[in-house]
Amino acid sequence: MKKKIIIILLLLGFQGFSQNEIDSLEDQIYVESFGKCFSQLKPLPEVKNRAKLNKIPFCSLYQCVRYVQYVEYEEKIQNAILKRAVEIATLLYKNETPIYLISGMNSSDKALIKNINLKDDNKLVYISVAECISSSTLDRIQEVVNNETTRLIKSKK
């Protein structure tokens, strides 16, 4: 009986360990690229008078993607966030972590598979921003970031 319990505990431990390896890769990618905050960027003056947004520094691509949907019908603020997202995409490229946003069915799985080897295809880091349902604002930020990344990669060649 004791042997069976020990074997079960060992198997559970191995299963947990193997899952942590994949999770840590995904976490590392998010922290080092998508969530990386560039402190040299100044706050956006367009969100200064917005109660929920004035405390957001908009220093990472994650913040831009997450909060651009809050201002879907305020074009001036949305354009400022999109412009900041392009700035951050440029900074990420200069730091040798160009980022490419993807969406659609199973996009998080596709991103994980493409990110297994970050040395291929210009070291692109793929980030899923919408799994099944995407909004027009997410599509727009995805487009401007991907266009900037593609432009920078092509200009290097």
Side-chain angles (χ1 to χ4, degrees):
M1 180 69 173
K2 239 182 183 182
K3 289 181 182 180
K4 288 181 183 179
I5 291 173
I6 291 173
I7 290 173
I8 290 172
L9 289 175
L10 283 173
L11 290 174
L12 289 173
F14 289 135
Q15 182 181 5
F17 178 75
S18 66
Q19 288 176 355
N20 286 341
E21 198 172 307
I22 293 171
D23 290 343
S24 67
L25 171 66
E26 190 174 9
D27 291 344
Q28 181 182 358
I29 289 168
Y30 267 80
V31 170
E32 291 179 4
S33 55
F34 194 53
K36 182 175 183 166
C37 184
F38 293 94
S39 58
Q40 72 265 29
L41 297 173
K42 295 179 181 174
L44 294 175
E46 291 84 357
V47 299
K48 186 177 182 180
N49 297 325
R50 291 293 307 255
K52 291 185 179 183
L53 297 177
N54 64 357
K55 291 181 174 51
I56 310 299
F58 291 99
C59 61
S60 71
L61 200 51
Y62 168 76
Q63 292 171 342
C64 293
V65 169
R66 179 164 184 215
Y67 292 104
V68 74
Q69 294 184 87
Y70 284 98
V71 293
E72 187 170 7
Y73 301 107
E74 298 178 50
E75 196 169 332
K76 182 179 177 183
I77 298 173
Q78 187 180 48
N79 287 335
I81 294 172
L82 292 172
K83 184 178 176 185
R84 174 59 54 89
V86 169
E87 286 179 70
I88 294 170
T90 303
L91 290 170
L92 286 167
Y93 176 81
K94 288 178 181 177
N95 286 340
E96 296 184 3
T97 53
I99 201 161
Y100 200 84
L101 303 178
I102 60 174
S103 62
M105 187 65 99
N106 297 325
S107 60
S108 58
D109 291 337
K110 291 175 188 172
L112 187 60
I113 291 168
K114 288 183 176 219
N115 288 334
I116 288 174
N117 182 5
L118 293 175
K119 303 274 187 240
D120 65 348
D121 62 19
N122 298 311
K123 299 180 184 177
L124 273 175
V125 175
Y126 295 88
I127 301 291
S128 171
V129 292
E131 187 71 29
C132 291
I133 301 171
S134 184
S135 66
S136 61
T137 53
L138 277 179
D139 292 342
R140 192 165 174 209
I141 198 165
Q142 180 179 339
E143 180 183 359
V144 297
V145 167
N146 292 348
N147 286 345
E148 179 65 8
T149 300
T150 303
R151 185 190 69 77
L152 291 166
I153 289 171
K154 285 183 179 179
S155 71
K156 184 181 175 184
K157 291 179 181 181

